[in-house]
């Protein structure tokens, strides 16, 4: 039932996620992220879940976990299997996203006797979006549930939760215990742990925006920058999680603050262009690329103030938008749809007269 979705997390070298956040001068808050998977074309779609929608979590033993009903309506993006929402926002403006976290996170063992309060990690985002309007509510409620994986061979995940007021936390389960970290930077990638990434930034204390001034290393020998951006010489360019974290931190913090949320949304897409991973970077030349144009299968940007979720995909780089303000979550029925109706990039032809 969820083998295909579980397979997404089965190989650490095929999956990557990069998340950032931005603010606008008008107070708008924007969170954005990529989702990568280089092994095959993922079946991705969005769900619209109304208030009152019934949920039940999976457990390692089947569809017999915790039951809960949506307090808040939400829109979420899933990968492979509808209940496994990896990114979304609810009608209160709370945003949540799932990021791969292999080799470091570890959940407590599943206890069948506790299945009525057991929540699958792949359904954590849906639970958060359907139940809560604040981070503190999530933290308190998590004390009363068992968070488990469906298969320990899959590896762990961690999460980013963001309030529309700007507060963001990272949740990681280490040695079976939930650990919340305040994320004032607003960046997240994958392993290792979030505190390690923050410490690692100190290795790049020399990086600054703009150009390094010309200077003499000895009388008569003057060094000059060859081109713009010389202050960022030494910025790591590979696609490992630590390097992506560093790049995302510097691209985000050096970006100009725009006047409006919409301008900031577009800025987020431009920043995340730098994390669009070419398919050949993660797979050998002998592997079948399944006609996959990019390992970055979708990029999403959420304006928590305007209540809009934007996305584009590997097959269609046009930006599309779901406006939560247009949805009556008290009346609409649960629904889902693929992100792409056809996996073909539309091209606008310019007519010359």
């Amino acid at each position: 039932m969820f083998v295909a979705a579980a397979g997404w997390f089965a190989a650490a070298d095929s999956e990557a996620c990069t998340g950032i956040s931005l603010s606008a001068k008008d107070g708008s808050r924007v969170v954005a992220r990529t989702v990568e998977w280089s092994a095959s074309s993922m079946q991705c779609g969005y769900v619209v879940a109304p208030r009152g929608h019934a949920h039940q979590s999976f457990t390692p033993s089947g569809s017999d976990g915790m039951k809960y009903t949506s307090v808040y309506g939400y829109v979420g993006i899933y990968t492979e299997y509808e209940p496994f929402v990896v990114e979304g926002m609810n009608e209160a403006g709370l945003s949540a996203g799932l990021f791969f976290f292999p080799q470091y996170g570890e959940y407590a063992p599943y206890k069948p006797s506790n299945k009525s309060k057991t929540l699958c990690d792949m359904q954590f985002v849906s639970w958060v979006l359907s139940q809560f309007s604040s981070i503190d509510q999530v933290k308190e409620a998590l004390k009363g549930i068992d968070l488990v994986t469906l298969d320990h061979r899959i590896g762990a995940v961690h999460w980013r939760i963001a309030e529309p007021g700007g507060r963001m936390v990272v949740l990681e389960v280490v040695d079976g215990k939930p650990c919340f970290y305040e994320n004032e930077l607003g960046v997240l990638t994958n392993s290792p742990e979030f505190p390690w990434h923050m410490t690692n930034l100190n290795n790049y204390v020399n990086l600054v925006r703009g150009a390094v001034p010309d200077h003499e290393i000895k009388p008569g020998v003057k060094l000059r920058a060859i081109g713009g951006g010389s202050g960022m010489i030494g910025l790591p360019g590979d696609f490992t999680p630590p390097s992506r974290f560093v790049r995302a931190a510097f691209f985000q913090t050096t970006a100009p603050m725009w006047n409006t949320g919409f301008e900031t949304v577009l800025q987020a897409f431009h920043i995340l262009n730098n994390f669009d991973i070419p398919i050949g970077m993660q797979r050998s030349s002998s592997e079948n690329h399944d006609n996959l144009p990019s390992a970055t299968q979708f990029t999403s940007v959420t304006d928590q103030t305007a209540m809009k979720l934007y996305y584009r995909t590997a097959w269609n780089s046009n930006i599309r938008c779901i406006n939560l303000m247009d949805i009556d979550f008290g009346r609409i029925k649960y629904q889902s749809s693929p992100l792409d109706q056809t996996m073909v990039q539309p091209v606008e032809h310019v007519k010359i007269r």
Side-chain angles (χ1 to χ4, degrees), residues 57-277:
S57 176
F58 295 107
T59 72
S61 58
S63 305
D64 55 358
M66 184 173 70
K67 295 180 179 180
Y68 53 98
T69 302
S70 292
V71 177
Y72 299 96
Y74 66 88
V75 173
I77 298 178
Y78 68 86
T79 54
E80 297 291 350
Y81 190 52
E82 283 184 28
F84 295 166
V85 171
V86 299
E87 182 65 33
M89 177 174 60
N90 69 16
E91 60 181 317
L94 190 69
S95 169
L98 176 154
F99 292 68
F100 193 41
F101 189 48
Q103 303 178 41
Y104 287 85
E106 185 173 355
Y107 310 104
Y110 170 57
K111 298 178 181 179
S113 59
N114 287 349
K115 63 183 180 181
S116 64
K117 65 171 190 174
T118 294
L119 178 67
C120 158
D121 59 352
M122 296 291 291
Q123 292 169 273
F124 180 82
V125 170
S126 292
W127 178 66
V128 168
L129 297 179
S130 70
Q131 301 298 300
F132 309 110
S133 61
S134 74
I135 291 168
D136 286 339
Q137 290 174 351
V138 177
K139 294 175 73 172
E140 184 62 31
L142 193 57
K143 297 175 183 178
I145 70 169
D146 289 354
L147 192 58
V148 303
T149 180
L150 299 179
D151 187 335
H152 282 281
R153 295 172 299 177
I154 297 171
V157 298
H158 59 178
W159 300 269
R160 180 263 299 131
I161 308 170
E163 294 177 348
R167 184 186 178 192
M168 180 185 293
V169 297
V170 173
L171 169 60
E172 298 175 347
V173 181
V174 181
D175 296 327
K177 297 181 179 180
C179 300
F180 285 90
Y181 304 104
E182 296 292 329
N183 187 353
E184 296 179 359
L185 177 62
V187 169
L188 186 61
T189 57
N190 311 106
S191 302
E193 303 98 328
F194 178 73
W196 184 97
H197 284 291
M198 293 299 296
T199 300
N200 184 52
L201 285 177
N202 292 297
N203 287 317
Y204 302 90
V205 66
N206 60 297
L207 300 184
V208 294
R209 71 177 73 204
V212 175
D214 300 348
H215 67 281
E216 288 188 343
I217 58 173
K218 64 176 297 185
V221 181
K222 190 172 187 179
L223 302 184
R224 298 179 176 85
I226 296 174
S230 58
M232 287 290 174
I233 291 176
L235 189 71
D238 63 84
F239 290 105
T240 62
S243 294
R244 285 185 285 107
F245 191 99
V246 173
R247 287 207 308 284
F250 280 96
F251 292 159
Q252 172 186 295
T253 55
T254 58
M257 180 178 283
W258 293 86
N259 290 323
T260 67
F262 180 67
E263 292 171 308
T264 306
V265 165
L266 299 181
Q267 175 76 94
F269 274 113
H270 284 300
I271 291 173
L272 290 178
N273 284 339
N274 294 276
F275 302 91
D276 192 341
I277 301 179

Side-chain angles (χ1 to χ4, degrees), residues 33-53:
R33 56 94 52 88
T34 65
V35 168
E36 280 79 27
W37 171 245
S38 66
S40 61
S41 301
M42 289 198 303
Q43 302 303 309
C44 299
Y46 65 81
V47 298
V48 180
R51 292 179 223 128
H53 181 65

